[in-house]
Amino acid sequence: QVQLVESGGGLVQAGGSLRLSCAASGRTFSTYAMGWFRQAPAKEREFVATIGWTNGITYYADSVKGRFTISRDYAKNTVYLQMNSLKPDDTAFYYCAAGPLISTSSNDYDDWGQGTQVTVSS
């Protein structure tokens, strides 16, 4: 099992930036991909971005492409989500996830963090 702890959420005005961090510990050697998902009130959890842990391949949801960047620090076992040009529609609880393959489906991730709230005011 991999333990994940997110940080970096908060309140920001539209057009602003935030950087989320996800620190991984435990059986990280079994992790092949790290992803970010988000869930807004009364909405289903949706894919945001994912990165291959060893090869660095990335995928993004169309809604965040060009504004968000996912990256990882191999030595620190940490994944980041840099969020720029934030919009009110980005308001959600953001979750970090770890899994054995790169995927945009939450079903393919085994371990999840507790989440961090991002609120974008207009």
Side-chain angles (χ1 to χ4, degrees):
Q1 188 175 9
V2 178
Q3 290 77 44
L4 303 169
V5 178
E6 302 99 331
S7 61
L11 172 65
V12 64
Q13 288 188 332
S17 299
L18 281 175
R19 188 177 81 156
L20 305 183
S21 299
C22 175
S25 61
R27 294 173 58 90
T28 56
F29 59 84
S30 65
T31 295
Y32 186 74
M34 297 281 288
W36 286 96
F37 291 78
R38 66 187 182 185
Q39 188 167 17
K43 292 187 177 181
E44 292 189 354
R45 188 171 298 188
E46 65 173 1
F47 166 75
V48 176
T50 188
I51 186 168
W53 188 244
T54 54
N55 59 23
I57 293 175
T58 59
Y59 293 97
Y60 296 92
D62 288 342
S63 59
V64 307
K65 204 171 292 184
R67 300 187 298 122
F68 291 11
T69 302
I70 189 171
S71 62
R72 88 269 196 237
D73 186 324
Y74 204 74
K76 294 183 179 179
N77 279 346
T78 299
V79 173
Y80 303 97
L81 185 68
Q82 178 66 44
M83 306 185 294
N84 298 328
S85 302
L86 282 161
K87 305 174 182 179
D89 284 349
D90 295 317
T91 296
F93 220 72
Y94 283 71
Y95 296 90
C96 175
L101 73 158
I102 297 175
S103 173
T104 62
S105 171
S106 60
N107 293 329
D108 292 325
Y109 291 83
D110 300 323
D111 300 294
W112 293 80
Q114 81 288 352
T116 185
Q117 177 68 42
V118 171
T119 303
V120 184
S121 63
S122 57

